[in-house]
Amino acid sequence: MESLRETLMSGGRWMILRQVLGQSVRLIISILLTRIIAPEDFGVVAKAIAVTGIVELIFIHGLFGSIVRSDSLNNDQLNYLFIFSLIISLIITSLLFFLAEPISLFYDDDRIIWVVRIAALSVLVSGIKTVFNALLTREMRFKQLAIVNIAATVFASSLTLLLALLDFGT
């Protein structure tokens, strides 16, 4: 069995690789998006992410931290946490979907409505993956965590680029 030091060193390398590859993919996609999207449209995306990002940060990180720091969790508790996370993320996603129009009134920008609605799906996805990510972190399975997160970043970035190429939202 690996020692704690070896596990942490290997985990550190995987987390660095995850950050480098994730940031590289996001940078490449951002460069490509600057060629496709008009500058004023970036502001629309930023406004939507400001709303959905704050909601996601508050909900997801609280649950993630409680799972990672818990002394012991049995399967029933993990199932409950997953169902709880799924239900709360569905509620938040639905609220953001229906509040997209009032949010657009706040920003005085109708273009933000569908961007908020699409960005709200990230809350749902985060709610689904939170328990799994927390368990992988808790079990120090950094390689699997890095691979899953890199794949998710590539998928989400590719989808973003595809939607921009299809001129979605205009």
Side-chain angles (χ1 to χ4, degrees), residues 63 67 73-87 127-128 131-132 135:
L63 181 60
I67 293 170
L73 288 171
N74 62 39
N75 284 338
D76 289 338
Q77 291 169 322
L78 289 171
N79 288 336
Y80 170 77
L81 287 170
F82 177 75
I83 297 296
F84 172 77
S85 176
L86 181 61
I87 290 170
I128 292 169
V131 174
F132 301 112
L135 286 174

Side-chain angles (χ1 to χ4, degrees), residues 67-133:
I67 293 170
V68 171
R69 290 182 187 89
S70 179
D71 289 336
S72 63
L73 288 171
N74 62 39
N75 284 338
D76 289 338
Q77 291 169 322
L78 289 171
N79 288 336
Y80 170 77
L81 287 170
F82 177 75
I83 297 296
F84 172 77
S85 176
L86 181 61
I87 290 170
I88 296 298
S89 60
L90 276 169
I91 291 169
I92 293 170
T93 300
S94 299
L95 282 171
L96 287 169
F97 188 87
F98 291 111
L99 291 174
E101 287 188 37
I103 290 168
S104 76
L105 293 174
F106 174 77
Y107 283 117
D108 193 28
D109 191 348
D110 288 342
R111 299 174 303 160
I112 198 172
I113 295 171
W114 277 103
V115 179
V116 167
R117 288 177 175 165
I118 291 169
L121 294 174
S122 71
V123 175
L124 179 61
V125 171
S126 291
I128 292 169
K129 73 176 187 167
T130 296
V131 174
F132 301 112
N133 280 351

Side-chain angles (χ1 to χ4, degrees):
M1 178 167 229
E2 274 188 284
S3 72
L4 179 60
R5 184 179 198 287
E6 291 168 340
T7 301
L8 292 175
M9 292 299 289
S10 173
R13 286 190 294 274
W14 278 105
M15 291 300 103
I16 289 169
L17 180 64
R18 171 184 154 193
Q19 287 298 322
V20 168
L21 287 178
Q23 292 295 341
S24 299
V25 168
R26 284 188 283 279
L27 176 64
I28 291 167
I29 294 299
S30 294
I31 291 168
L32 293 172
L33 286 174
T34 60
R35 306 295 294 163
I36 299 169
I37 297 176
E40 58 273 8
D41 292 336
F42 274 99
V44 174
V45 173
K47 292 172 190 175
I49 291 173
V51 173
T52 58
I54 290 170
V55 170
E56 191 174 341
L57 185 68
I58 292 168
F59 167 64
I60 300 304
H61 287 289
L63 181 60
F64 181 88
S66 66
I67 293 170
V68 171
R69 290 182 187 89
S70 179
D71 289 336
S72 63
L73 288 171
N74 62 39
N75 284 338
D76 289 338
Q77 291 169 322
L78 289 171
N79 288 336
Y80 170 77
L81 287 170
F82 177 75
I83 297 296
F84 172 77
S85 176
L86 181 61
I87 290 170
I88 296 298
S89 60
L90 276 169
I91 291 169
I92 293 170
T93 300
S94 299
L95 282 171
L96 287 169
F97 188 87
F98 291 111
L99 291 174
E101 287 188 37
I103 290 168
S104 76
L105 293 174
F106 174 77
Y107 283 117
D108 193 28
D109 191 348
D110 288 342
R111 299 174 303 160
I112 198 172
I113 295 171
W114 277 103
V115 179
V116 167
R117 288 177 175 165
I118 291 169
L121 294 174
S122 71
V123 175
L124 179 61
V125 171
S126 291
I128 292 169
K129 73 176 187 167
T130 296
V131 174
F132 301 112
N133 280 351
L135 286 174
L136 289 174
T137 300
R138 181 183 166 153
E139 296 170 3
M140 294 191 289
R141 294 172 54 191
F142 300 113
K143 179 180 179 180
Q144 292 88 345
L145 186 62
I147 291 169
V148 168
N149 280 284
I150 291 166
T153 299
V154 169
F155 175 76
S157 298
S158 300
L159 183 60
T160 301
L161 189 59
L162 177 65
L163 290 173
L165 286 169
L166 294 175
D167 219 14
F168 191 83
T170 58

